[in-house]
Amino acid sequence: MPQRNVPTVLIIFGATGDLMTKKIAPALFNLFKKDRLPKMLRIVGVARRDLSQEDFKKHITDILVKRLNLKRNDKQLQDFLRFILFHQGKFEDKITYSSLATVLGRTDNEWKVCANKLFYLAVPPELYEMMFKHLHSSGLTLPCSPDEGWTRVLVEKPFGKDAKTAERVDVLLSKLFKEEQIYRIDHYLGKEMLQNILSFRFSNNLFEQSWNSKFIEKIEIRLLEKIGVEGRGPFYDGLGALVDVGQNHLLQMLTLVTMDHPKNLSAEIVRRKRKEILQTLKIMTADEIKIDTFRAQYDSYQKIEGVKNNSKTETYFKIKTFLEAARWQGVPIYMESGKRLKDQIKEIIVTFKHVTPCLCPPGSHYTNRVTFSIEPLEAIRISFLTKKPGLGSQVEVVSRNFNFVYRKQAGRIQYIEEYEKLLLDCIEGNQLLFLSTDEVKAMWAYIDPIVTSWKKEGIPLERYEPDRNDIVKVAKKIIEGVRELAIDITGHKEIAVLGLGKMGGNIARQLIDKNWRVYGWNRTKSVTKQLEKEGMIGINDLKELIEKLKRPRVFWLMLPQGLPTDDVLRQLTPFLDRDDIIIDAANAFYKDTVRRGKKLSTRGLKFIDVGISGGPAGARYGASLMVGGERKDFDYLLPLFIDIAVPSGVQFFPGVGAGHFVKMVHNGIEYGMMQALAEGFTILKKAKYRLDLAKIADVYNHGSVIESKLVDWLENAFKFYTDSLKNISGRVKHTGEGEWTVKTAKELKMRTKIIEEALRFRIESEKNPSYTGKILSALRNQFGGHSLK
């Protein structure tokens, strides 16, 4: 609980400035009215202007009368003014700080206690460095003791003008103050609706399980304003829209909607989660900045006082970006902000993927959306389909919205409420809604390359007519119309799957369900015929297949062991064009993959290797993908991989063969894990107790250390075949990858005793079948569909 009776002094530098007028003074008075301020309080305004104490109190009175519609003789206003003091001085002058120390010392003597001191720098950011040094050298910011008299420093965004200046300020801050003393304000975090996002996501169980790349198509974050930059010309012209709101407000909004679940709402945990997601922002290359960013300036901007002639400062921008977090792989995030637009819209829109098959209105591509609206109305809107009332023979569905209006806007004054919350939290020592140094670093690491590129030639600055939304439509067409899908920018997705066995056939089925045009080839034509009934386009001749596919062609090879991949490639590659893509997703020894990659590269072909785990069920409904090759090829194919994988189930490993290498070791580990399970359950089977092995597998798979998919499959096997595992062979097949792992380990001069013993057991089981072997065979059947005989 906050200590309400601890004496506190709030020192505000820049006490006659715009920030004090519009936000700080009204917020402090409202807190006073609500009895949320310390009982013993002084508010010391520091400014250059030569004012008497009465002049300054009159200045504060004028602010509150105008902003809060008070009467000058209001009793609460008069009571509030008793807390107010004024201290005149120049911020660059050391004498200002030493004389201020005298004033604060008199307050401590009067109260006979060392008061808490909160220093608020409501000044331009370029003054921070100088003022931090003076505050520190004067001793003003030193706490009296660990037990009483804390000191804190409040600073406003922007935190620097670029990564370099931000780092310089932050290094100085960290030298002079501890992190728990520093409160960096981004007032957007004080907005009720943004705080409510955490409650909506993490206090409910409605959407969080589907809050990932498997289900979400895109995220849009928009801050569109009617107002211009009048009165802020010199300041704004030195920053631009991206630094003014993109580097802070938009990125903080992004953290709230994409961060992982915090175990609690403590400042330490939530700020760490925000930092972690910010650190996954994909740093854009110069080429990506040219394609995925757009900026513009409104006509008449250069006529504003303080704006340079021929200014190249943007007043509107739109950016397409991505998070390199497994949870958000491939989900485009659009951040947009601008001044002098027709509509005032501040919102986050989360759009879910189209349901396939969808019982949608005829001809529509309907998507569910969750919208967090800040303006013009604080609300959460959820869009969905419902049945249209009536007695028609056809079931019709129509779009509906569930609107939760958080509260009405009446009586609220913009920014004041946010500053009430932030000031109160600072006094009470809660840093939840304040930025950490790591968050600031991560934000600048992302923004700085864009700002740098925009300053160079070749990144155009468009123009737009104020008070219209034309520029919003132009930017949408340019940014969202390009590379929405990496494969075939027309929006048509197609691929050829070669090898339609248990794995390849299910890959084809999954892609068909997700609106891919799938061509399929298989040696056994009856398999092809069956998949044609399910929506695949069957091809019997490889040359014919090549002629049908659009360039660059994409081939997914899922050839079973025993069918030489090299033979198929020899038939296929003579007909291919440069930049066609071959994806080998079958089990293959990584050295063979490296060899194939080198050979194909000489023909200008792109080669990607994919280790795929999850068995036929994974291929059908979502697998784990380990991808090797070139990064740019992986990025290009990411929409494909996301459509095949489980949520967060794709990872890239640089170098041709790396994906197959990782999958090879995966299978070696799998050998050891399966062997341990089989041996353990054999002990349970032979014990003197009458144990139900299915029940044991079930309890092992609910919270135990060995909980896993393997134990789940083992439970299914015992339920289906009973503990006896009758008619299941005790001879266990091995398909090569365990042997490859052992061979590779020996080349690396290391011993893999567990994996070697598991491999040897399978080899020896040909002559010595056993119950342990039956368990292994049952497991292989469950996850891979392998024969039980």
Side-chain angles (χ1 to χ4, degrees):
M1 293 293 292
Q3 298 180 25
R4 298 280 313 288
N5 293 320
V6 177
T8 301
V9 182
L10 171 57
I11 304 99
I12 303 170
F13 291 91
T16 57
D18 194 56
L19 193 59
M20 182 72 163
T21 299
K22 293 181 178 179
K23 304 171 185 177
I24 300 172
L28 285 170
F29 179 74
N30 283 349
L31 287 173
F32 171 73
K33 281 178 59 178
K34 296 171 184 176
D35 195 28
R36 299 304 300 269
L37 293 175
K39 298 299 183 184
M40 299 179 69
L41 175 70
R42 288 276 161 79
I43 301 171
V44 181
V46 183
R48 299 173 183 273
R49 290 170 59 181
D50 187 10
L51 300 175
S52 67
Q53 297 295 332
E54 290 307 312
D55 290 338
F56 184 63
K57 289 184 179 183
K58 182 180 182 302
H59 175 70
I60 298 299
T61 299
D62 292 342
I63 291 172
L64 298 179
V65 167
K66 182 179 180 180
R67 297 286 290 172
L68 301 180
N69 197 27
L70 298 176
K71 294 182 179 179
R72 291 184 179 274
N73 61 353
D74 185 284
K75 184 179 185 305
Q76 286 185 312
L77 172 57
Q78 297 305 314
D79 291 341
F80 176 71
L81 291 174
R82 292 175 187 151
F83 295 132
I84 303 293
L85 291 177
F86 181 71
H87 186 77
Q88 192 271 336
K90 297 179 180 179
F91 302 145
E92 68 274 15
D93 193 340
K94 291 182 180 179
I95 296 175
T96 299
Y97 302 86
S98 58
S99 59
L100 180 60
T102 302
V103 171
L104 299 182
R106 284 200 296 266
T107 300
D108 285 353
N109 291 332
E110 177 187 339
W111 288 344
K112 296 183 172 27
V113 67
C114 181
N116 298 328
K117 297 175 181 67
L118 175 57
F119 296 91
Y120 194 146
L121 274 63
V123 300
E126 56 265 26
L127 300 179
Y128 285 172
E129 287 188 67
M130 173 265 294
M131 294 182 69
F132 290 152
K133 291 177 181 177
H134 286 321
L135 281 170
H136 183 73
S137 62
S138 67
L140 281 169
T141 55
L142 293 176
C144 299
S145 73
D147 300 321
E148 67 171 350
W150 53 251
T151 62
R152 293 170 186 153
V153 177
L154 259 169
V155 293
E156 286 272 348
K157 68 92 180 170
F159 310 108
K161 289 189 174 183
D162 52 32
K164 186 176 180 180
T165 59
E167 182 179 10
R168 188 167 66 243
V169 171
D170 203 68
V171 167
L172 178 62
L173 266 175
S174 64
K175 286 181 179 179
L176 305 181
F177 311 105
K178 296 178 181 178
E179 181 66 21
E180 58 265 28
Q181 289 181 281
I182 305 168
Y183 287 70
R184 302 173 185 83
I185 288 183
D186 180 346
H187 72 266
Y188 256 67
L189 285 176
K191 288 186 176 294
E192 281 284 351
M193 182 48 65
L194 292 191
Q195 296 175 56
N196 203 32
I197 292 175
L198 295 181
S199 298
F200 177 86
R201 289 186 58 196
F202 304 126
S203 299
N204 300 299
N205 197 27
L206 292 171
F207 294 101
E208 196 59 25
Q209 296 303 311
S210 56
W211 208 258
N212 54 56
S213 61
K214 197 70 176 179
F215 300 98
I216 290 175
E217 179 180 294
K218 63 180 178 180
I219 298 172
E220 300 167 87
I221 306 173
R222 313 169 72 200
L223 296 182
L224 307 181
E225 299 182 285
K226 291 182 177 181
I227 62 172
V229 297
E230 286 75 11
R232 300 177 65 210
F235 173 77
Y236 190 93
D237 202 45
L239 299 177
L242 182 61
V243 174
D244 187 46
V245 298
Q247 185 269 340
N248 35 72
H249 300 340
L250 287 170
L251 289 181
Q252 281 301 310
M253 292 166 75
L254 174 62
T255 65
L256 297 176
V257 82
T258 59
M259 62 184 272
D260 285 340
H261 197 304
K263 65 182 181 182
N264 58 52
L265 290 179
S266 68
E268 178 187 3
I269 299 298
V270 172
R271 296 207 312 172
R272 184 168 74 232
K273 292 298 181 183
R274 294 199 312 243
K275 171 205 72 173
E276 288 171 357
I277 198 66
L278 284 168
Q279 289 175 337
T280 70
L281 276 164
K282 185 179 186 298
I283 307 301
M284 300 172 76
T285 65
D287 288 340
E288 288 169 337
I289 292 169
K290 289 179 182 177
I291 296 172
D292 290 335
T293 72
F294 178 90
R295 63 182 187 136
Q297 182 188 100
Y298 67 80
D299 296 334
S300 77
Y301 168 75
Q302 294 179 22
K303 296 178 182 179
I304 295 172
E305 185 179 352
V307 173
K308 296 176 183 177
N309 293 332
N310 300 317
S311 170
K312 299 298 182 184
T313 298
E314 80 285 349
T315 58
Y316 171 89
F317 69 87
K318 184 163 187 172
I319 292 174
K320 177 182 178 180
T321 193
F322 293 90
L323 295 170
E324 293 185 317
R327 177 179 189 149
W328 297 107
Q329 279 182 328
V331 176
I333 297 164
Y334 299 99
M335 296 187 291
E336 178 183 27
S337 182
K339 299 284 190 182
R340 288 294 299 272
L341 298 169
K342 180 182 178 182
D343 299 314
Q344 184 94 351
I345 300 173
K346 300 180 180 181
E347 63 186 5
I348 303 172
I349 305 172
V350 179
T351 301
F352 286 77
K353 292 181 177 178
H354 181 71
V355 178
T356 305
C358 179
L359 302 179
C360 303
S364 73
H365 180 83
Y366 188 81
T367 53
N368 299 111
R369 293 183 306 279
V370 175
T371 301
F372 302 97
S373 175
I374 302 169
E375 290 185 36
L377 190 67
E378 285 185 305
I380 298 175
R381 295 193 302 273
I382 302 171
S383 66
F384 56 96
L385 292 177
T386 63
K387 179 187 176 297
K388 185 177 181 180
L391 300 174
S393 58
Q394 295 288 328
V395 176
E396 294 184 67
V397 291
V398 292
S399 175
R400 304 287 190 195
N401 281 319
F402 172 78
N403 292 311
F404 165 65
V405 178
Y406 185 61
R407 59 180 173 176
K408 295 183 178 179
Q409 298 289 88
R412 290 189 59 237
I413 303 175
Q414 192 176 33
Y415 303 127
I416 293 177
E417 180 186 70
E418 293 91 324
Y419 273 79
E420 288 180 43
K421 175 63 176 170
L422 295 169
L423 285 165
L424 183 62
D425 281 359
C426 186
I427 291 169
E428 296 182 349
N430 182 2
Q431 290 184 302
L432 176 67
L433 302 180
F434 298 86
L435 303 187
S436 66
T437 182
D438 289 333
E439 288 176 86
V440 174
K441 286 180 181 178
M443 291 189 294
W444 274 119
Y446 172 74
I447 291 292
D448 218 31
I450 302 174
V451 174
T452 301
S453 287
W454 281 1
K455 290 179 180 178
K456 296 179 180 179
E457 294 297 326
I459 307 292
L461 178 68
E462 306 295 339
R463 304 201 65 80
Y464 63 98
E465 186 177 346
D467 309 321
R468 297 171 60 92
N469 284 343
D470 296 348
I471 196 67
V472 174
K473 297 174 184 176
V474 170
K476 181 177 181 65
K477 184 176 180 180
I478 291 174
I479 298 300
E480 296 189 41
V482 176
R483 300 202 309 162
E484 184 68 52
L485 290 169
I487 299 171
D488 191 352
I489 62 174
T490 64
H492 179 74
K493 305 178 292 182
E494 65 175 27
I495 190 170
V497 179
L498 278 59
L500 301 172
K502 289 177 293 187
M503 295 293 289
N506 278 352
I507 290 290
R509 290 182 177 96
Q510 187 177 184
L511 291 175
I512 290 167
D513 284 349
K514 292 173 180 173
N515 294 324
W516 286 76
R517 175 176 287 181
V518 179
Y519 295 88
W521 173 89
N522 197 70
R523 287 182 304 167
T524 307
K525 292 181 175 54
S526 59
V527 175
T528 306
K529 290 291 184 184
Q530 174 57 41
L531 278 161
E532 284 180 326
K533 298 175 183 177
E534 300 179 46
M536 188 191 76
I537 303 168
I539 298 293
N540 294 320
D541 180 77
L542 289 177
K543 186 176 180 181
E544 179 191 358
L545 171 62
I546 292 163
E547 291 171 352
K548 286 184 177 293
L549 286 170
K550 290 184 179 181
R551 298 181 181 84
R553 307 175 182 95
V554 181
F555 300 88
W556 182 280
L557 274 60
M558 208 81 210
L559 304 172
Q561 279 189 284
L563 176 63
T565 299
D566 291 323
D567 286 349
V568 173
L569 289 175
R570 270 194 294 271
Q571 296 176 54
L572 185 67
T573 53
F575 306 108
L576 299 184
D577 295 324
R578 188 177 185 84
D579 291 333
D580 283 348
I581 301 167
I582 296 172
I583 304 166
D584 186 2
N587 284 339
F589 187 40
Y590 79 98
K591 288 186 177 181
D592 291 333
T593 302
V594 172
R595 171 178 55 79
R596 290 169 184 141
K598 288 179 179 178
K599 187 173 182 179
L600 292 171
S601 67
T602 63
R603 295 182 51 86
L605 300 172
K606 299 180 182 299
F607 186 58
I608 295 283
D609 55 289
V610 178
I612 179 168
S613 180
R620 183 66 181 89
Y621 301 110
S624 171
L625 304 184
M626 306 148 222
V627 185
E630 297 293 328
R631 180 79 204 202
K632 62 181 179 180
D633 298 331
F634 170 78
D635 289 341
Y636 181 79
L637 293 163
L638 188 55
L640 168 67
F641 296 141
I642 287 171
D643 277 351
I644 293 172
V646 295
S648 307
V650 184
Q651 286 293 348
F652 172 72
F653 306 96
V656 172
H660 281 159
F661 185 89
V662 172
K663 176 56 166 48
M664 174 190 74
V665 176
H666 162 281
N667 280 27
I669 294 169
E670 177 189 293
Y671 270 45
M673 292 175 68
M674 289 172 62
Q675 188 69 27
L677 284 173
E679 291 175 2
F681 273 83
T682 300
I683 294 171
L684 293 167
K685 173 69 173 173
K686 295 186 175 182
K688 63 180 181 179
Y689 299 104
R690 297 181 62 184
L691 300 173
D692 185 323
L693 299 189
K695 287 185 177 180
I696 294 172
D698 179 71
V699 74
Y700 281 176
N701 221 33
H702 284 83
S704 83
V705 174
I706 63 170
E707 181 179 5
S708 65
K709 292 279 285 186
L710 285 171
V711 174
D712 186 44
W713 281 317
L714 189 54
E715 179 187 354
N716 290 339
F718 284 133
K719 284 181 176 178
F720 194 79
Y721 300 108
T722 75
D723 291 2
S724 68
L725 300 180
K726 188 178 180 180
N727 298 324
I728 294 178
S729 174
R731 298 179 174 88
V732 193
K733 295 291 184 182
H734 56 97
T735 54
E737 295 219 352
E739 188 174 353
W740 296 338
T741 306
V742 171
K743 176 183 176 181
T744 301
K746 288 179 179 178
E747 290 175 357
L748 296 172
K749 294 182 170 51
M750 63 172 290
R751 180 80 188 277
T752 51
K753 186 174 181 180
I754 301 298
I755 300 173
E756 286 182 42
E757 291 294 337
L759 174 63
R760 183 176 296 112
F761 177 90
R762 295 192 183 195
I763 294 170
E764 293 176 353
S765 73
E766 287 294 325
K767 296 180 179 179
N768 301 299
S770 63
Y771 185 78
T772 301
K774 285 176 175 283
I775 294 177
L776 290 171
S777 293
L779 273 172
R780 294 182 77 248
N781 171 261
Q782 285 292 308
F783 68 73
H786 300 289
S787 173
L788 293 168
K789 300 298 183 181

